[in-house]
């Protein structure tokens, strides 16, 4: 088992209408370029749908941004960091919808 | 940066109507009890909403099950494992909706 963080920030992006593989590539590259070196980012993985053929699995998103932070304060700092804002500014035209789940480990 | 797997399996559960903290606790406990020791599970975290106050963040689920596997084959084996089927059988009355995202690291 790998060691994990205290705050998970999982972002799923759906592309703008008509957006294809090039847009997905640009978005994935944008995530890596702008977000990887922001202080407080404990882990960042840019991912794509596995395509698991099960009705209960949503494979319709284009890019997943899976991040971990030590705690909520680290996440909050990331949200306001200039590089994060630059990412949004440069890449927001690529997506039409964003679905975010923030989660903290259950205390039990 | 921590080392990561090749297959992410993220499950978000919404409770049955009227389900409260006790149901969430039972579901979280069921995840830990039945799923932690299944072969091929590289990482398992049972989590709850961070409650981040942002419109774009979905805080309406009750329990998140965040799993990592080495690859899709390991995930597929998990799906069919008797302990996983027992978890579903014992806990499915607790949830009304399940949203799953399966993701693999982007190859770039």
């Amino acid at each position: 088992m790998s060691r994990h963080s205290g705050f998970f920030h999982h972002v799923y992006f759906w592309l703008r209408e008509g957006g294809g593989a090039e847009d997905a590539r640009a978005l994935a590259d944008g995530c890596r370029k702008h977000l990887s070196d922001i202080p407080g980012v404990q882990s960042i993985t840019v991912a794509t749908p596995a395509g698991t053929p099960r009705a209960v699995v949503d494979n319709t998103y284009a890019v997943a941004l899976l991040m971990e932070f030590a705690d909520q304060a680290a996440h909050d700092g990331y949200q306001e960091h200039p590089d994060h804002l630059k990412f949004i500014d440069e890449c927001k035209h690529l997506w039409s919808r964003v679905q975010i789940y923030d989660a903290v480990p259950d205390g039990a």
Side-chain angles (χ1 to χ4, degrees), chain A:
Chain A
M1 301 282 177
S2 58
R3 188 174 154 272
H4 265 306
S5 68
F7 193 99
F8 297 88
H9 177 60
H10 293 164
V11 186
Y12 298 90
F13 297 95
W14 283 260
L15 298 178
R16 60 180 171 182
E17 195 173 350
E22 278 188 32
D23 277 5
R25 169 67 47 195
L27 180 52
D29 287 345
C31 289
R32 280 185 286 264
K33 174 184 171 187
H34 293 294
L35 308 180
S36 297
D37 297 327
I38 295 179
V41 175
Q42 196 173 70
S43 165
I44 175 170
T45 302
V46 180
T48 54
T52 322
R54 301 170 63 217
V56 75
V57 175
D58 188 340
N59 289 305
T60 64
Y61 68 92
V63 173
L65 172 62
L66 310 176
M67 307 187 77
E68 298 177 22
F69 298 88
D71 52 29
Q72 175 138 12
H75 161 271
D76 291 352
Y78 158 83
Q79 286 293 342
E80 298 177 0
H81 192 280
D83 289 354
H84 180 232
L85 302 178
K86 189 169 185 180
F87 161 74
I88 295 172
D89 193 49
E90 286 195 6
C91 294
K92 67 184 176 190
H93 68 286
L94 296 169
W95 68 73
S96 62
R97 181 183 156 220
V98 175
Q99 180 72 62
I100 304 179
Y101 299 93
D102 290 339
V104 293
D106 185 47

